[in-house]
Amino acid sequence: MVLETYSRQELLQSIDGADEGHFVAELETGYLSLSRNRQYFKGYCFFAAKCKARELHDMPMDIRARHLVEMAMVTEAVQLAFNAKKMNVAFFGNSFAHVHWNIVPRYGTDPLPEDSIWTIDRALIESHFLSEEELSNVKATLRAALSKLSERDQIPVSFA
């Protein structure tokens, strides 16, 4: 069975309107990128499956299992990198019907730290962009945490 896949550029653009500057890492089953405009939650990322699948259950079992393991490692890396108090992970795909995860670090300092991020004014959430220097620093911090976990868990990660 040959699976159709998305290119990295297609996924970055389709999910968040991001460019290559927001790319963080490639794993076996997906691409990790920083959100272009949701950095109100520093480290907000997307982990998108490479294979074309509308729903998680549409993925072949072996790829689905591997993808979930990688997603958990990515989530842990975000938490470690940015010292988040709690991690929120969401799978919607309503505007782009494809398996991709919103990985949202929560710090307890936002207006509603014990509520869903969707209860916070969307204009506030979607109005925080990183400068080039901040983007570079956030990516480097996240890559360092991901590299450490990749070595620990023996899960290959590429930053190219």
Side-chain angles (χ1 to χ4, degrees):
M1 173 185 199
V2 175
L3 290 174
E4 286 187 72
T5 60
Y6 282 108
S7 72
R8 182 164 90 192
Q9 292 78 16
E10 286 176 298
L11 288 172
L12 288 170
Q13 186 60 48
S14 297
I15 292 169
D16 193 46
D19 58 26
E20 278 295 311
H22 293 85
F23 168 76
V24 176
E26 178 178 353
L27 289 86
E28 182 182 338
T29 69
Y31 299 107
L32 177 63
S33 62
L34 286 163
S35 175
R36 177 182 59 83
N37 65 336
R38 294 182 181 101
Q39 293 303 314
Y40 178 80
F41 302 101
K42 185 178 178 183
Y44 191 127
C45 294
F46 294 101
F47 183 55
K50 290 179 184 178
C51 73
K52 292 185 179 183
R54 289 179 58 89
E55 306 294 342
L56 192 58
H57 60 262
D58 291 337
M59 299 171 96
M61 181 76 74
D62 59 330
I63 294 172
R64 178 185 342 153
R66 181 71 176 180
H67 185 72
L68 290 171
V69 166
E70 290 178 355
M71 186 270 296
M73 185 182 77
V74 164
T75 300
E76 183 180 1
V78 172
Q79 185 170 33
L80 290 172
F82 305 111
N83 198 31
K85 177 180 178 182
K86 176 74 176 95
M87 295 300 299
N88 290 177
V89 180
F91 170 62
F92 300 111
N94 296 326
S95 59
F96 177 55
H98 177 66
V99 174
H100 64 280
W101 304 90
N102 290 257
I103 300 172
V104 187
R106 300 294 298 274
Y107 301 99
T109 56
D110 63 60
L112 301 166
E114 295 182 7
D115 288 352
S116 160
I117 68 165
W118 314 119
T119 61
I120 300 170
D121 179 19
R122 190 171 180 155
L124 175 64
I125 293 172
E126 295 184 352
S127 65
H128 288 272
F129 296 82
L130 299 174
S131 69
E132 288 299 318
E133 182 179 351
E134 290 169 324
L135 180 60
S136 180
N137 290 338
V138 168
K139 282 190 339 186
T141 301
L142 182 51
R143 285 175 171 173
L146 197 53
S147 185
K148 186 182 294 186
L149 295 177
S150 166
E151 192 173 308
R152 178 197 76 190
D153 295 345
Q154 298 297 293
I155 295 175
V157 176
S158 170
F159 302 114

